[in-house]
Amino acid sequence: MGMRACYMEVNEDQLQQLLDNDNLLEDIEELSDEEEHNEIDIDKMWDVLHFLLTGISATEPIEDDPLSELIVGEIVADEEDFIAYTTPQKVQEFARVMSEINFADDLKKFDMQKCKEADLYPNIWNRDEEKEYIIEELSGCFEKLKNFYREAAEHGHAVLVSIY
């Protein structure tokens, strides 16, 4: 299975209700099951996306850096289950920043050996034969994330980030 990153768009009332409860992960899962939400799952590509955008692993988030926070969230709500959220104001900023990124240029810098040296998750960096597949996966995940943030910004909503 492994750790995957999931993103859910929520309005401010939903966010506050979730933060007011003690079982955040369970409540998020229930909300996801009960209602139709704009949600995406970028599976295991969260750490390498963070690395391509910032130069470091997501295990070392950069505070007040939109390129870091759009992957790991703005404010950590639960360190144990790793759940963070991004306020609607920051969602607007992240959507703008992502629209300005030429990810094809970032992908040109993609290097399996550097990913291995940085000890990025998941541990697949010895599979040189899969490099093209990984690049396609990264490109798709970035586009999915960019569209997700654009839609959340258009709705004026917050974003929950769960990496579990």
Side-chain angles (χ1 to χ4, degrees), residues 1 27 59 94 121:
M1 177 89 171
D27 292 343
T59 60
F94 296 173
Y121 183 84

Side-chain angles (χ1 to χ4, degrees), residues 13-125:
D13 290 337
Q14 290 168 319
L15 177 62
Q16 194 56 56
Q17 287 175 347
L18 290 167
L19 295 175
D20 288 344
N21 293 328
D22 292 332
N23 300 317
L24 189 54
L25 183 58
E26 289 175 25
D27 292 343
I28 291 170
E29 289 171 350
E30 284 179 26
L31 184 63
S32 179
D33 290 342
E34 291 175 8
E35 299 180 31
E36 186 85 13
H37 287 283
N38 184 14
E39 296 179 70
I40 63 166
D41 177 346
I42 62 168
D43 200 18
K44 297 168 181 57
M45 292 293 120
W46 51 273
D47 200 15
V48 69
L49 276 174
H50 190 279
F51 184 76
L52 283 172
L53 294 171
T54 68
I56 63 171
S57 170
T59 60
E60 303 172 37
I62 306 166
E63 192 173 330
D64 295 323
D65 181 321
L67 297 176
S68 178
E69 290 179 344
L70 68 89
I71 301 294
V72 298
E74 173 190 6
I75 301 164
V76 176
D78 182 339
E79 287 186 27
E80 186 177 328
D81 290 317
F82 196 85
I83 300 169
Y85 65 93
T86 301
T87 60
Q89 297 78 15
K90 284 282 188 156
V91 168
Q92 299 286 328
E93 177 185 349
F94 296 173
R96 181 189 51 74
V97 166
M98 290 189 84
S99 72
E100 297 170 355
I101 294 173
N102 183 341
F103 196 64
D105 286 345
D106 291 319
L107 285 174
K108 289 176 187 172
K109 299 180 280 187
F110 178 72
D111 182 319
M112 299 278 277
Q113 183 60 34
K114 286 183 182 176
C115 293
K116 182 179 178 181
E117 290 168 5
D119 197 25
L120 299 181
Y121 183 84
N123 186 11
I124 58 173
W125 312 116

